[in-house]
């Protein structure tokens, strides 16, 4: 209000609150999603498929900069299994991979580590995997539009479980060459040898000095 005035105490100078009061709110940022190997951006309730510039169908890859990735694996569980044609939210989910998120429709356990849905061999139909799927949450921006103001800045992209090992191998290779993941443009596509959307990763180029400042 207009009556709220005065300097900030010297004790707090240079101390930022980060996203302490805003973190976890999912309505404000955009998502990069994929369905049937078609990329799309979802923002403010609208969904736009990413098409090739020559008009010949959907884009097969996206060129992005990964700004930051969650070091902890996130988790999602669907009672009836995941269906790419169903936009319903997961029955249980965990952004930090430690405890279920607040407000999930059907919480399966108080903690993820001891949840039976998170155990190997719990996959439907007797599979060796887990009923609760792992993924890594990443904040990304388009390489050609780092500020991405039209879509509100950084976008959330989830790297699915089947792509985690390939992403780790890509990260290890370029980190060993002196290029941490956030220092370069990365092309993320789909493995043509798999029927499901499995990511592929390819380095495009290091960021310029000006791009790095952004």
């Amino acid at each position: 209000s207009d009556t709220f005035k005065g300097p900030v105490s010297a004790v707090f100078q240079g101390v930022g609150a980060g996203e302490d009061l805003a973190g976890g709110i999912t309505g404000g940022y955009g998502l990069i999603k994929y369905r049937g190997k078609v990329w799309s951006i979802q923002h403010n309730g609208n969904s736009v498929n990413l098409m090739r510039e020559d008009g010949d169908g959907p884009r097969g890859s996206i060129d992005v900069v990964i700004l930051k990735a969650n070091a902890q694996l996130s988790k999602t569980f669907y009672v009836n299994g995941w269906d790419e044609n169903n936009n319903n939210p997961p029955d249980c989910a965990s952004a930090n991979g430690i405890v279920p998120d607040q407000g999930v429709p059907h919480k399966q356990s108080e903690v993820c580590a001891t949840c039976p849905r998170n155990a190997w061999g719990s996959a439907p139909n007797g599979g060796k995997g887990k009923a609760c799927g792992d993924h890594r949450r990443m904040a990304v921006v388009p390489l050609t539009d780092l500020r991405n103001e039209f879509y509100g800045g950084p976008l959330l992209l989830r790297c699915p479980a089947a792509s985690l090992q390939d992403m780790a191998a890509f990260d290890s290779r370029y980190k060993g060459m002196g290029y941490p993941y956030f220092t370069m443009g990365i092309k993320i596509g789909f493995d043509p040898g798999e029927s499901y959307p499995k990511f592929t990763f390819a380095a495009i180029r290091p960021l310029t000095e000006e791009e790095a400042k952004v």
Side-chain angles (χ1 to χ4, degrees), residues 58-194:
R59 290 182 60 105
S61 61
I62 53 174
D63 297 348
V64 300
V65 177
I66 301 174
L67 305 178
K68 184 68 175 175
N70 187 352
Q72 299 291 334
L73 289 178
S74 302
K75 300 177 181 295
T76 51
F77 168 71
Y78 296 85
V79 170
N80 297 317
W82 180 72
D83 179 0
E84 69 170 17
N85 295 312
N86 191 333
N87 286 322
N88 290 337
D91 293 280
C92 190
S94 173
N96 60 21
I98 300 173
V99 295
D101 298 337
Q102 290 186 1
V104 293
H106 302 102
K107 183 166 66 173
Q108 299 295 302
S109 176
E110 292 300 323
V111 294
C112 298
T114 57
C115 180
R117 309 291 189 182
N118 191 40
W120 293 103
S122 63
N125 304 319
K128 296 181 180 179
K130 301 188 296 183
C132 183
D134 292 332
H135 62 272
R136 191 172 303 285
R137 293 161 62 97
M138 304 180 292
V140 306
V141 289
L143 176 60
T144 56
D145 182 13
L146 296 180
R147 297 191 186 278
N148 197 37
E149 292 177 355
F150 185 80
Y151 288 111
L155 303 166
L156 171 65
L157 172 63
R158 297 181 177 94
C159 179
S163 308
L164 292 173
Q165 291 295 334
D166 288 335
M167 184 168 66
F170 173 86
D171 179 54
S172 177
R173 176 185 177 188
Y174 282 91
K175 191 160 52 179
M177 296 166 57
Y179 296 100
Y181 67 85
F182 49 81
T183 66
M184 67 178 105
I186 300 174
K187 183 180 292 293
I188 303 178
F190 296 115
D191 186 339
E194 299 291 351

